[in-house]
Amino acid sequence: MESLSGGSTPKRHSRHGSSGRALPRRSTRGPLDINESPISPSTSTTPSNLVHQSSSLLSPSASQYATPRLPSPQPGSNLSTLTSPSFRTARSTLSPSRSTTQLQKDFTFLLRPEIYHSLTLLDVPPPFRLASAQPSPSSSLSSLVSQGHYRSAAIKAAQLLTSTNPPPSSHTEIFDLIYTRLSCLTLCNQTTLAAQEVKALEDLNSNYYRDDLSGAHLVPWELRVLAVRLQGMGFNDARRGIMGYYDLAREARLSLTSLKKQDPRPLDEIAVWESRLEELGIRVASALIEMEDLEGATRFLATLKTSGDENGVRKALLWLCLGDVEAARSSIPSSSSSSSSDHDEENKTILALSHMADSSFSLAIPLWESLLTTSPPSPNSALYSQNLAIALLYLGRMAEARTILERLVEQGNSFHALTFNLSTIYELCTERSQALKIGLAERVAGMGIEEQGREGEEGGKRGWEKVNGDFKL
């Protein structure tokens, strides 16, 4: 680096290996400015189905796994003469005249076994450690994800990434496996490990991650969005995550501008990018709240427009996190894209949550009860029952609350809020809470085993794998 003091001799710039430090980022301004709010509902995708492969360790060479970065130019050097084995595309037998064929790039540096951490069972309740509660070793990655065995799915994804029999054959397969690995780590309470492993991707805005011919990004959108948050955590720089969302928003706006100039307009693609842009707005507001910049989050949410019911609910929940109940009540606009019953259910849900935020639990109870009497029953009825029990708990009707939550467990429900709140009631009701919480963990683990026995490998109980924190153990 050059000295900033006068009269000193400038030193030659040199490249240092990655040591976990945040990479310098360019200024990001524009795509999500408060006067340019995104519009449209969000979409979601699921990881691709992947085939099970046996695992073994690789013995990579230094050149094989070099990270994709260009060397810094030396004084007097010509950029056109710089070469780097880590930045070259893979050898190809394609004719130069076939310019439309995508040149393959080498992403094998992401297959290094040392990138992926081993997972322990220390945070898993004893009932879930039994061999009968574990999935079959021959289970495919897709079945593990669909059954809620996120810890086992994360392990399987790492084995497939580091397997040499055979290794992943394309960048699409590599990125799908990485996305599955990182998302499953976050779902099984291992976000800290995910934040460390995502550093291996380095700067996803690098041109190395783009197709040399078309300029299209080779990394799936879902992985890029997830990597932004995890890299902000991994480098201990929350604002880095927000800037990453702005980078993605800029790309979304450029894609929208290009698509809208086409004739005829590809309406489906336009809807996808509008959805992505609006979701990024919600994520920026959420990130501001996570970093406790409540004033910035309030200013941003006040100018953020949402056109879909789903993101309207998300925006209302963010207002409740900020403590602005009136803003939450007014965040669900009238929508012609959903049925009146669905819209009424969303409004009642936000209104009931607003009453609970105001400590008006007696006003919230009739709303939860009305949501439970709809015909046909709402898919969210278990969540409404759990919220009803919490309102009763705050009114001192602990026995009724305990009965409702235990009935939900007997019906096969085991989501985190349910088991956590029932464990809290056990702590308030008796000095034997530890035994009751362990018994609850045993019942939930038994539910998964029974479901696997009835339906086989492909139909196991979804989302039943738990950690100690779910039972306050």
Side-chain angles (χ1 to χ4, degrees):
M1 298 178 58
E2 296 185 0
S3 172
L4 297 180
S5 59
S8 60
T9 303
K11 300 179 180 180
R12 297 179 65 182
H13 180 79
S14 61
R15 172 64 98 189
H16 297 280
S18 176
S19 60
R21 296 174 297 179
L23 299 176
R25 306 298 299 275
R26 66 179 183 277
S27 174
T28 54
R29 177 179 177 83
L32 284 176
D33 286 344
I34 59 175
N35 292 327
E36 295 181 286
S37 304
I39 49 170
S40 189
S42 66
T43 58
S44 62
T45 58
T46 58
S48 303
N49 291 336
L50 301 171
V51 180
H52 167 71
Q53 299 171 350
S54 59
S55 64
S56 59
L57 298 180
L58 295 175
S59 299
S61 62
S63 61
Q64 182 182 5
Y65 292 132
T67 53
R69 296 179 294 181
L70 282 173
S72 300
Q74 302 295 331
S77 64
N78 188 343
L79 287 177
S80 63
T81 63
L82 290 176
T83 60
S84 171
S86 64
F87 203 82
R88 297 193 195 111
T89 57
R91 295 182 180 178
S92 173
T93 57
L94 300 178
S95 169
S97 62
R98 299 177 60 182
S99 59
T100 60
T101 303
Q102 176 179 321
L103 299 178
Q104 293 296 321
K105 291 189 175 182
D106 183 11
F107 292 104
T108 53
F109 67 93
L110 297 172
L111 306 182
R112 293 175 294 176
E114 61 268 22
I115 293 176
Y116 306 100
H117 300 75
S118 60
L119 302 181
T120 67
L121 296 176
L122 296 179
D123 61 338
V124 177
F128 290 88
R129 302 181 192 177
L130 300 176
S132 57
Q134 302 302 316
S136 170
S138 61
S139 300
S140 65
L141 182 59
S142 59
S143 66
L144 291 173
V145 173
S146 64
Q147 294 171 26
H149 295 284
Y150 301 122
R151 180 183 300 273
S152 299
I155 295 173
K156 175 74 72 173
Q159 290 174 348
L160 294 175
L161 281 166
T162 57
S163 173
T164 57
N165 188 28
S169 58
S170 66
H171 71 271
T172 301
E173 186 176 359
I174 292 175
F175 292 137
D176 282 344
L177 287 170
I178 292 176
Y179 175 70
T180 302
R181 167 75 176 183
L182 296 178
S183 58
C184 286
L185 285 176
T186 60
L187 290 171
C188 68
N189 202 36
Q190 297 292 339
T191 306
T192 302
L193 289 184
Q196 294 301 316
E197 293 181 4
V198 78
K199 292 180 180 179
L201 293 172
E202 297 196 12
D203 185 7
L204 288 177
N205 290 323
S206 168
N207 287 333
Y208 190 80
Y209 285 104
R210 292 189 176 274
D211 184 274
D212 289 333
L213 301 178
S214 66
H217 212 289
L218 301 178
V219 182
W221 179 264
E222 293 77 17
L223 175 56
R224 296 173 65 190
V225 173
L226 178 61
V228 164
R229 179 172 183 267
L230 292 178
Q231 285 187 337
M233 298 172 61
F235 290 108
N236 197 26
D237 185 1
R239 294 193 178 275
R240 173 192 177 100
I242 295 178
M243 295 169 67
Y245 289 136
Y246 272 69
D247 284 340
L248 294 177
R250 176 179 289 106
E251 180 176 337
R253 288 189 179 276
L254 290 174
S255 298
L256 277 173
T257 301
S258 176
L259 291 172
K260 289 179 178 180
K261 290 180 179 179
Q262 298 180 17
D263 188 22
R265 288 188 174 188
L267 299 181
D268 291 341
E269 294 184 48
I270 290 176
V272 168
W273 281 105
E274 287 180 341
S275 167
R276 290 173 174 178
L277 186 60
E278 183 172 351
E279 182 184 0
L280 289 172
I282 296 294
R283 288 181 178 273
V284 167
S286 179
L288 289 170
I289 293 175
E290 279 188 348
M291 61 186 293
E292 298 184 358
D293 185 0
L294 304 185
E295 181 179 356
T298 300
R299 291 175 179 272
F300 184 83
L301 273 179
T303 56
L304 183 64
K305 298 178 181 178
T306 55
S307 60
D309 293 338
E310 183 178 355
N311 281 327
V313 172
R314 292 178 179 177
K315 183 179 178 181
L317 294 175
L318 290 174
W319 278 122
L320 290 176
C321 289
L322 291 171
D324 195 333
V325 178
E326 291 303 322
R329 291 190 179 113
S330 60
S331 331
I332 305 294
S334 58
S335 175
S336 59
S337 61
S338 62
S339 65
S340 58
S341 61
D342 291 339
H343 187 58
D344 183 60
E345 179 179 341
E346 293 162 357
N347 282 330
K348 283 185 178 180
T349 301
I350 296 302
L351 184 58
L353 291 174
S354 299
H355 286 321
M356 295 184 71
D358 278 337
S359 298
S360 301
F361 302 106
S362 57
L363 297 178
I365 288 176
L367 291 173
W368 294 126
E369 291 176 339
S370 66
L371 287 169
L372 290 170
T373 57
T374 57
S375 181
S378 170
N380 299 318
S381 57
L383 194 59
Y384 298 153
S385 295
Q386 189 256 174
N387 289 339
L388 172 61
I390 299 305
L392 293 171
L393 174 63
Y394 276 101
L395 291 176
R397 298 158 64 177
M398 192 173 301
E400 297 177 61
R402 176 175 176 175
T403 300
I404 291 175
L405 296 182
E406 288 180 336
R407 186 186 304 122
L408 287 173
V409 174
E410 293 172 358
Q411 294 171 352
N413 299 288
S414 62
F415 50 91
H416 167 77
L418 170 60
T419 57
F420 186 89
N421 289 321
L422 183 53
S423 299
T424 301
I425 290 180
Y426 287 155
E427 291 177 342
L428 297 174
C429 287
T430 176
E431 295 179 355
R432 297 176 52 253
S433 62
Q434 186 73 5
L436 291 174
K437 291 187 289 187
I438 293 176
L440 175 61
E442 291 174 347
R443 290 203 302 273
V444 174
M447 286 160 39
I449 297 172
E450 292 173 3
E451 192 73 16
Q452 282 183 315
R454 287 196 301 268
E455 302 183 15
E457 177 190 340
E458 297 299 327
K461 185 68 177 178
R462 177 174 297 182
W464 65 273
E465 193 173 45
K466 305 297 179 184
V467 295
N468 288 327
D470 293 319
F471 305 96
K472 303 187 74 172
L473 294 173

